[in-house]
Amino acid sequence: MRTIDEQGYHFEEWLTPEQVAADVQQVADRISADYHDKEPLFVVVLNGAFVFAADLIRALKNVHCETTFIRVSSYFGMATTGQLEFIVPLQQVVDQRDVVIIEDIVDTGLTIHQLKAHLRAHGANSVRVATMLFKPEKLEYNDARPDYIGHEISEEFVIGYGLDFDGFMRNLDAIYKVKE
Ligand code: IMP
């Protein structure tokens, strides 16, 4: 098993690149089935979701779609600050659009809760959420429960495949869990 030591923390490989690819394909197949007759707008939540989004949108079949980006931040190191900051705001008109938010991980759900409200306030016809990872035990906002989930995880902190630790480790090809 591959391991990484970073800033005094020990991480162990949890999902291999092959497992990640299978999860992405499963999510893509479900989205393809639901959106082949629609014209969805994918809203990719930067920074973390860029790796998942790149693989996911290329794995879709027969989905005529647009993709745009939004950048928010609520974390510092391993802890949430509870405040959502729009660093790159929404630049696309979402009025009457069927929006699918692409996230790397849904933790407390604060980010998705606020983003959904933002998109609905701007007239989105529907808003669904696709996430690579979901921490159901940590969910605090019920409306943030994702519609498409790559893999569920308990409360552990994870890195890789877009997920960072203080800005680093996003480039890992697998997902690693911190070990106490
Ligand atoms: P939420 O708003 O609490 O749901 O947090 C969502 C955001 O927190 C994600 O987009 C990530 O940027 C970050 N995050 C939550 N858990 C982790 C983790 O285990 N590793 C890395 N980032 C995380």
Side-chain angles (χ1 to χ4, degrees), residues 92-124:
Q92 191 100 1
V93 175
V94 296
D95 189 42
Q96 301 302 315
R97 298 300 303 269
D98 292 307
V99 175
V100 180
I101 300 170
I102 303 183
E103 249 296 26
D104 52 358
I105 187 165
V106 177
D107 185 275
T108 65
L110 173 72
T111 307
I112 293 301
H113 171 72
Q114 296 200 8
L115 266 184
K116 273 187 154 178
H118 187 73
L119 291 162
R120 289 209 186 95
H122 284 80

Side-chain angles (χ1 to χ4, degrees), residues 8 32 63 94 107-108 125 138 143 146 165 174:
S32 299
V63 180
V94 296
D107 185 275
T108 65
N125 181 50
K138 293 199 61 192
D143 70 335
F165 180 28

Side-chain angles (χ1 to χ4, degrees), residues 56-147:
L56 180 65
I57 61 171
R58 289 179 301 161
L60 298 170
K61 294 184 190 79
N62 300 319
V63 180
H64 192 238
C65 62
E66 285 184 281
T67 306
T68 191
F69 301 87
I70 193 166
R71 184 169 171 207
V72 297
S73 175
S74 68
Y75 267 69
F76 184 76
M78 285 195 189
T80 181
T81 61
Q83 295 280 323
L84 194 67
E85 193 187 342
F86 284 79
I87 299 166
V88 176
L90 192 64
Q91 283 157 342
Q92 191 100 1
V93 175
V94 296
D95 189 42
Q96 301 302 315
R97 298 300 303 269
D98 292 307
V99 175
V100 180
I101 300 170
I102 303 183
E103 249 296 26
D104 52 358
I105 187 165
V106 177
D107 185 275
T108 65
L110 173 72
T111 307
I112 293 301
H113 171 72
Q114 296 200 8
L115 266 184
K116 273 187 154 178
H118 187 73
L119 291 162
R120 289 209 186 95
H122 284 80
N125 181 50
S126 67
V127 184
R128 286 188 184 167
V129 178
T131 186
M132 179 60 208
L133 299 176
F134 175 41
K135 294 180 177 172
E137 292 157 26
K138 293 199 61 192
L139 192 71
E140 290 174 20
Y141 301 86
N142 208 38
D143 70 335
R145 191 170 289 279
D147 303 278

